[in-house]
Structure formats: structure tokens, C-alpha cells
Amino acid sequence: MRFEAIKEKVISSWSNYRVWQLQNVNDKRFIYVLSIVVGLISGLVAVVLKNTVMLVDYILTNGIRHVDSYLFFLYPFAGIVLTVLFLRFVVRKPVGHGIPNALFAISKGNGNMKLHESWSTVVAAALTVGTGGSVGLESPAVNASSSITSNLGRRLKLSRKTKVLFIACAASGTLSGIFNAPVAAIVFALEVIMIDLTAVSLIPLLLSSVAATLTGRVLLGEETLFPFKFIEPFSASQIGFYVLLGIACGALSIYFSKVYFKVGTLLDRLQFPGRRKSESFRESKGSTASPGEQTGHVNNKLLKAGLGASVVGLLIFLFPSLYGEGYSVVNSLINGSALPVTSSVTLFDVDDNVWLVIGVFLLLLLIKPVVTSFTIHSGGIGGVFAPALFMGSVLGFVFSKILKTVGLDVAASGNFTLVAMGGMMAGLLHAPLTGIFIIAEITGGYELFIPLMITTAITFITVKYVTPHSIYNAQLLQKGQLVTLHKDQAVLTLMNLRSEIERDFIVVKPYDKLKDLVQAISKSARNLFPVTDEQGRFLGVVMLSDVREIMFDRSKYEEIEIHELMTSAPESVEITDRMEAVMKKFDVSGAWNLPVLDADGKYIGFVSKSKLFSGYREKLREFYDDEPGRSEG
């Protein structure tokens, strides 16, 4: 009884607050206040996740950072397996991978995200990265903060437009809190989250970024993530080197993307004994399989995790500098020291042989994408933001090392290291402006602005020829879930074919008589009639215009059968077709109505051009409304 009373009091207080809010706080002011709250939440999530991982890392690795420790194999292996067990038996629901998950919420989820991801992502990422998984924390932090703000928006009955804006604010705030770079974080929201840049969206982004930055500074202090000692002023004589560095960053970004998706395909195709091809992690939820089949599915997930974790553990054991996010290695390379890399190689002693050092660094560039890809695809939770910066630092350092070794007069290695980090952001994330501004803010000035512009531009151009989409967008593109900057395609992506299907058509059979068709016509408000066989497979259509001349001739009621009147549909739509493909079929066929069929060719309903146009206009108005605010519900 006491609980019920408390519950009623809470509900009553909330209702009173909502009434006061709607009467006294206008939409803009309310959104500005909430954007600050989102920034505080995002900054807090980033700090909590970072500190948790640092604590776990300290507990596990304090005193073991030397070559040949078997723990560098054991920790990453155990971390990935524990993550999979945690998700399977504690969360029991699928957990999305960071930024792509936020992009999915924007493209298909109406700005809605699952509440459990506000905490499950944090725990899973801490397990993965804290034990040495070679991925980053930025994406999980974005996922968690976006989930919190999305669910806050749902509670406040906010419109889809506003929830999407707050997801962008959460992403911006998270990166602000981690990197102490509010401008770069806003640019990231524009480039990667692809929020429209308007006066209405810019102010909330500014407020959330500032709030998150201040939260990070209060809780973590003024120290930056990448402290550095010296930046050498840019010289025009170095332009050619930065152009070459841009090409190298582009090639490495393409290599990373190829490896990432190849590893994912490889692990997905593995069929362990007893595994059914139709099974998947998502299908296991609510599965009607027998206990034996479900146990086999769990065992297969663990075998897949064990295989991937073994690869990760082995490579990290051989190259301990790949352990975790790798930001300590990045800091050393920025300041010109290769010791964290050269002193931790397990297979051989690097010593001071410059070409051996260069060889080790080139090997790291080849191995890092493999380790990151196996960490994620075998069941770990993390992102590619930190690996992009890690690879940029390694590439920039070895690039400078090679130039100096062959006798060329080049800038300090720290310059190339920082610029290459920006280049990898441009290449892997397709975010050249983010790459420029994040390095500019980290360095506290514009000394590297011109080389950053040169390298990121060359990188972006190089990558675009081979991989037209970023590593985030490519994952959504495979599933037809990508919202693009092309407004027409973006709105089509938001539309759902199933909701556009019309099912109020009377179905007739091929051997029915004309009499049966006339009865169907008398009961129907439609002018076409789908024809199916006994199994429900679609055969064709009968148009009212084709039978109008004979439908009143009773002498033919028993003579003419439906298949004699039937015509083929000019085209058909499969239930799995993307909306872009559906519209193309309408354009090519010139039809006004097209049948929708399942994978077996069975009739489901019709989709009409007029209904699609109405749905398109509604989505267009909803998606590009200039004024976000509360929904009427």
C-alpha cells in the first residue's frame, strides 16, 4: 500500500509539472534548458566510463607492463568472453555498437533508443576495453548518453525532430567531455550524426557541448587527453610531405575499412557444429527453439567469441602496445618517443636499429585493424574512434621517421603525428572538419591548421574514390537504414513499406467464374482484383475496366473463368524492398498500383503511388520542420 501511495504521488507530481511546463515554458526556452541537461549527462557518462576503464586497467595491469607476460593474452580473451556472457545472460537483449546505433535511431527509430543501453553499453564497454580490448570508448559513451537523452525525450513527449536533435547534442557533449574540444564536437555532430545546421539546432549543440566540457573539466581537471611539449611552425616547403601523408592516410583508411568488414563477414559465416543458419543473437530473444537448440546457440556464440578473443589475445601478447585504447602510446608518439612500442615487442629485441623500428611500426599499422575488428565482431563492445587516432599517430610517426632516415629535412615528428591523426579521422570516419578542429583544439592554436587542411582534404578525396561511405554509415547502408544528406533519399529511408501496404482488396481464384467476380465487384470499392492460387501465390490482376462490357451479360457468368480475364502485373514489390527500390519500380513500370509479395511469391497487398506520395510528404514535413519541440501527444 505504501508503494502504491508513493507511486500515485510521483505520478501526480509529474502531471502537475507537465501542466506547469506547458503553460509557462515555451518550446525554445525548454529545449535550451534541456540541451544543457543533455550536456551535463553526456559529460558525466563520458567521465564515468573513462574512469571505470582506467580503474579496471590499473587493477589488472599495475606491475605487469613488461614483455612476455601471458596476462596480455589472458585479459583480452577473458574480457571479450565475459562481455558476451554479460550480454547473453544478464542483459538478454541485443546491444548496438555506439555511433551506428545512434544513427539507426535517427534513420529508423524515430529518435527512440532502448533504455537498457544507457547502462548495459557502459558495463559491456568497461569489460571489453578495461581488459585490453583494442577498441575505443567514444562510441559506447555516445550510445549510452544518446539512450538516456532519447528516453528522456520520450518521457517528456518530445517530437521526433527534437529527440533527433538531442541525440546529436548527446554525441557532441560526449566528445566534448572526453577531448575537451567543444567546437570539434559540434562539427562531429554535423558531419557524422548529420544533423541539419540551422539556428535552431546550433544553439542547443553549443549549450550541450559547453556543459559537457565544463563537466569534464570539473571532474577530470584541466589536463588534456593528449598533452604535448612542442609544435614546430609550419613551413611552405613541407607542403609536398603533407600531401604524401594525406595519400598514406587515405590508403590506410581504406585498408582498415576492408579488414573491418572482411572480419565481420568471416565470423558471421562460420558455422560451428550444431548451429542453424537462421539463428542469430536477435532471433534468440523470444525464440521458440527447443532447450537443446537454444543451448547449442549459446555454445556457438561462445565458440565464436572464444575464437575471436584468441586472435585478439595472441596479437596483443605479441604487441602489447595494442592493449586497450592505446592513448598512452599516442601521447608518447606525439612527444617523439617510440619507447612504449619498441620496448614491448615480444618476438624480438628492437634495440636502436632504425629500420627495425620502422618495420615494427609498419607491422603495427597492418595488425591494428585486425585486432580492432576481431574485438568488435567476436562480441566486444567498443568503437573505431580511438583506433583511428592510434593508427594516425603511428602512421605520422613512422612517416616522419622514414623521411628523416633517408636524409630529408622535415618538421618534428610530433607535427606529422598530430596531422596524421586528423587525416585518419577524415579517412575512416569521413569527417575531415572534425579531424581538423579536434587537433586544432588539442594543440590550443592554429599552427597546424594549414597542414591539417591539406592532409585531411587529400585523405578524404583518396578515400571517397574507393569507399563512398564512412565506416559508420557503411554498416547502416548494408541494411538500408542510412539517412543521407540527400533529402529525397533521406526521407525515403524514413518510410516503412509495411505501413504503406493497402490490404482491402478482394482476392479471386483463377478458376472462379465471371459470376463470382461480379459478386466481388459489388462488394468492393476497388477497381482491381488480385488473383492467387490455392497456396496464396500471386498470379495476376483483373481490372474493372477490362470486364465492364461483359459484367452485365448473364449468359457468360458460367462460361468465362477468371484466368481468361487476368493480366500480369507490370511489376511486383517484395516486402523486403527498400523504399528507394519501390519508387524506382513505379517509375519504370508507369503503374499506379503494384502488388506486394513475400519471399515465396505469396500475395500480401498492394501499394499505391498516391499513398506513397502522401506518406512522403508527411515524412518530409516531419523530418525537415524547422521548429523542434514537444509532440502533441
Side-chain angles (χ1 to χ4, degrees), residues 39-51 54 177-178 180 211-223:
L40 295 173
I41 292 171
S42 303
L44 187 60
V45 168
V47 170
V48 168
L49 184 53
K50 276 283 184 184
N51 284 346
M54 288 171 63
I178 293 174
N180 196 15
T213 301
L214 293 176
T215 302
R217 288 185 179 182
V218 168
L219 298 177
L220 298 178
E222 297 290 331
E223 185 178 349

Short mmCIF file of all heavy atoms in Angstrom, two decimals, residues 39-51 54 177-178 180 211-223:
data_model
loop_
_atom_site.label_atom_id
_atom_site.label_comp_id
_atom_site.label_asym_id
_atom_site.label_seq_id
_atom_site.Cartn_x
_atom_site.Cartn_y
_atom_site.Cartn_z
N GLY A 39 23.93 17.98 -22.05
CA GLY A 39 25.37 18.16 -21.98
C GLY A 39 25.94 17.66 -20.66
O GLY A 39 26.98 16.99 -20.63
N LEU A 40 25.26 17.99 -19.55
CA LEU A 40 25.72 17.52 -18.24
C LEU A 40 25.69 16.00 -18.16
O LEU A 40 26.63 15.37 -17.65
CB LEU A 40 24.83 18.13 -17.15
CG LEU A 40 24.89 19.65 -16.98
CD1 LEU A 40 23.85 20.13 -15.99
CD2 LEU A 40 26.28 20.08 -16.53
N ILE A 41 24.61 15.40 -18.67
CA ILE A 41 24.51 13.94 -18.68
C ILE A 41 25.61 13.32 -19.52
O ILE A 41 26.28 12.36 -19.11
CB ILE A 41 23.12 13.51 -19.19
CG1 ILE A 41 22.02 13.90 -18.21
CG2 ILE A 41 23.09 11.99 -19.44
CD1 ILE A 41 20.61 13.70 -18.74
N SER A 42 25.82 13.86 -20.72
CA SER A 42 26.82 13.32 -21.64
C SER A 42 28.23 13.41 -21.04
O SER A 42 29.01 12.46 -21.11
CB SER A 42 26.78 14.05 -22.97
OG SER A 42 25.50 13.98 -23.54
N GLY A 43 28.53 14.57 -20.47
CA GLY A 43 29.83 14.73 -19.84
C GLY A 43 30.03 13.78 -18.69
O GLY A 43 31.11 13.19 -18.51
N LEU A 44 28.98 13.58 -17.90
CA LEU A 44 29.05 12.66 -16.76
C LEU A 44 29.24 11.22 -17.21
O LEU A 44 30.05 10.48 -16.64
CB LEU A 44 27.78 12.79 -15.91
CG LEU A 44 27.76 12.02 -14.59
CD1 LEU A 44 28.89 12.48 -13.68
CD2 LEU A 44 26.41 12.17 -13.90
N VAL A 45 28.52 10.82 -18.26
CA VAL A 45 28.66 9.46 -18.80
C VAL A 45 30.08 9.23 -19.29
O VAL A 45 30.70 8.18 -19.02
CB VAL A 45 27.66 9.22 -19.96
CG1 VAL A 45 28.01 7.93 -20.72
CG2 VAL A 45 26.23 9.13 -19.43
N ALA A 46 30.63 10.22 -20.01
CA ALA A 46 31.99 10.09 -20.53
C ALA A 46 32.99 9.94 -19.39
O ALA A 46 33.90 9.10 -19.45
CB ALA A 46 32.33 11.31 -21.39
N VAL A 47 32.84 10.75 -18.35
CA VAL A 47 33.76 10.69 -17.22
C VAL A 47 33.65 9.36 -16.48
O VAL A 47 34.67 8.74 -16.14
CB VAL A 47 33.49 11.87 -16.25
CG1 VAL A 47 34.27 11.69 -14.95
CG2 VAL A 47 33.86 13.19 -16.91
N VAL A 48 32.41 8.92 -16.23
CA VAL A 48 32.21 7.66 -15.51
C VAL A 48 32.81 6.49 -16.28
O VAL A 48 33.52 5.65 -15.72
CB VAL A 48 30.70 7.42 -15.27
CG1 VAL A 48 30.45 5.99 -14.80
CG2 VAL A 48 30.17 8.41 -14.24
N LEU A 49 32.56 6.45 -17.59
CA LEU A 49 33.07 5.34 -18.40
C LEU A 49 34.60 5.37 -18.46
O LEU A 49 35.27 4.34 -18.29
CB LEU A 49 32.48 5.40 -19.81
CG LEU A 49 32.85 4.24 -20.75
CD1 LEU A 49 32.54 2.89 -20.13
CD2 LEU A 49 32.12 4.39 -22.08
N LYS A 50 35.17 6.54 -18.68
CA LYS A 50 36.63 6.67 -18.75
C LYS A 50 37.28 6.26 -17.42
O LYS A 50 38.25 5.48 -17.40
CB LYS A 50 37.02 8.12 -19.08
CG LYS A 50 37.00 8.45 -20.55
CD LYS A 50 38.24 7.89 -21.23
CE LYS A 50 38.29 8.30 -22.69
NZ LYS A 50 39.43 7.69 -23.40
N ASN A 51 36.75 6.76 -16.31
CA ASN A 51 37.34 6.46 -15.01
C ASN A 51 37.18 5.00 -14.63
O ASN A 51 38.07 4.40 -14.01
CB ASN A 51 36.72 7.35 -13.93
CG ASN A 51 37.26 8.76 -13.96
OD1 ASN A 51 38.27 9.03 -14.62
ND2 ASN A 51 36.60 9.68 -13.29
N MET A 54 39.78 3.13 -16.60
CA MET A 54 41.11 3.42 -16.05
C MET A 54 41.33 2.64 -14.75
O MET A 54 42.43 2.12 -14.51
CB MET A 54 41.27 4.92 -15.80
CG MET A 54 41.41 5.74 -17.08
SD MET A 54 41.35 7.54 -16.77
CE MET A 54 42.80 7.75 -15.76
N GLY A 177 33.24 16.21 -23.59
CA GLY A 177 33.68 15.79 -22.27
C GLY A 177 34.96 14.98 -22.30
O GLY A 177 35.79 15.08 -21.40
N ILE A 178 35.13 14.16 -23.34
CA ILE A 178 36.31 13.29 -23.43
C ILE A 178 37.54 14.07 -23.88
O ILE A 178 38.62 13.95 -23.29
CB ILE A 178 36.04 12.12 -24.39
CG1 ILE A 178 34.98 11.19 -23.80
CG2 ILE A 178 37.33 11.34 -24.67
CD1 ILE A 178 34.54 10.07 -24.72
N ASN A 180 37.79 17.52 -24.40
CA ASN A 180 37.88 18.93 -24.04
C ASN A 180 37.97 19.79 -25.30
O ASN A 180 38.75 20.73 -25.39
CB ASN A 180 39.11 19.16 -23.14
CG ASN A 180 39.06 20.49 -22.41
OD1 ASN A 180 38.00 21.12 -22.34
ND2 ASN A 180 40.19 20.93 -21.90
N ALA A 211 28.37 22.63 -21.73
CA ALA A 211 28.02 21.99 -20.46
C ALA A 211 28.85 20.72 -20.23
O ALA A 211 29.34 20.47 -19.12
CB ALA A 211 26.53 21.67 -20.42
N ALA A 212 29.02 19.93 -21.28
CA ALA A 212 29.80 18.69 -21.16
C ALA A 212 31.27 18.98 -20.93
O ALA A 212 31.94 18.30 -20.14
CB ALA A 212 29.62 17.85 -22.42
N THR A 213 31.79 20.00 -21.63
CA THR A 213 33.20 20.38 -21.44
C THR A 213 33.47 20.82 -20.01
O THR A 213 34.46 20.40 -19.39
CB THR A 213 33.58 21.50 -22.42
OG1 THR A 213 33.37 21.07 -23.76
CG2 THR A 213 35.04 21.88 -22.26
N LEU A 214 32.58 21.65 -19.47
CA LEU A 214 32.74 22.11 -18.09
C LEU A 214 32.61 20.95 -17.11
O LEU A 214 33.34 20.90 -16.10
CB LEU A 214 31.69 23.18 -17.79
CG LEU A 214 31.86 24.51 -18.55
CD1 LEU A 214 30.71 25.46 -18.25
CD2 LEU A 214 33.19 25.17 -18.19
N THR A 215 31.71 20.01 -17.40
CA THR A 215 31.57 18.83 -16.54
C THR A 215 32.87 18.04 -16.51
O THR A 215 33.35 17.62 -15.44
CB THR A 215 30.43 17.93 -17.04
OG1 THR A 215 29.21 18.67 -17.07
CG2 THR A 215 30.26 16.71 -16.14
N GLY A 216 33.44 17.83 -17.71
CA GLY A 216 34.70 17.10 -17.79
C GLY A 216 35.83 17.82 -17.06
O GLY A 216 36.64 17.20 -16.37
N ARG A 217 35.89 19.14 -17.19
CA ARG A 217 36.95 19.91 -16.54
C ARG A 217 36.81 19.90 -15.02
O ARG A 217 37.80 19.83 -14.29
CB ARG A 217 36.95 21.34 -17.06
CG ARG A 217 37.46 21.47 -18.48
CD ARG A 217 37.56 22.92 -18.91
NE ARG A 217 38.08 23.04 -20.28
CZ ARG A 217 38.30 24.19 -20.89
NH1 ARG A 217 38.04 25.33 -20.26
NH2 ARG A 217 38.78 24.21 -22.12
N VAL A 218 35.58 19.98 -14.55
CA VAL A 218 35.35 19.97 -13.10
C VAL A 218 35.74 18.62 -12.50
O VAL A 218 36.38 18.55 -11.45
CB VAL A 218 33.87 20.29 -12.79
CG1 VAL A 218 33.56 20.01 -11.33
CG2 VAL A 218 33.57 21.75 -13.11
N LEU A 219 35.38 17.54 -13.18
CA LEU A 219 35.60 16.20 -12.64
C LEU A 219 36.98 15.63 -12.96
O LEU A 219 37.51 14.82 -12.20
CB LEU A 219 34.53 15.24 -13.15
CG LEU A 219 33.09 15.60 -12.75
CD1 LEU A 219 32.11 14.61 -13.37
CD2 LEU A 219 32.93 15.59 -11.23
N LEU A 220 37.57 16.05 -14.09
CA LEU A 220 38.86 15.50 -14.50
C LEU A 220 40.00 16.50 -14.42
O LEU A 220 41.16 16.12 -14.59
CB LEU A 220 38.77 14.95 -15.94
CG LEU A 220 37.79 13.80 -16.17
CD1 LEU A 220 37.77 13.42 -17.65
CD2 LEU A 220 38.15 12.58 -15.33
N GLY A 221 39.68 17.77 -14.22
CA GLY A 221 40.72 18.79 -14.19
C GLY A 221 40.96 19.37 -15.57
O GLY A 221 40.32 19.00 -16.56
N GLU A 222 41.90 20.28 -15.66
CA GLU A 222 42.19 21.00 -16.91
C GLU A 222 43.10 20.22 -17.85
O GLU A 222 43.32 20.62 -18.98
CB GLU A 222 42.85 22.34 -16.59
CG GLU A 222 41.96 23.30 -15.80
CD GLU A 222 40.81 23.82 -16.63
OE1 GLU A 222 40.95 23.91 -17.86
OE2 GLU A 222 39.75 24.11 -16.04
N GLU A 223 43.67 19.12 -17.39
CA GLU A 223 44.63 18.38 -18.21
C GLU A 223 43.95 17.80 -19.45
O GLU A 223 42.87 17.23 -19.38
CB GLU A 223 45.25 17.24 -17.40
CG GLU A 223 46.35 16.49 -18.13
CD GLU A 223 46.98 15.41 -17.28
OE1 GLU A 223 46.70 15.38 -16.06
OE2 GLU A 223 47.72 14.59 -17.83
#
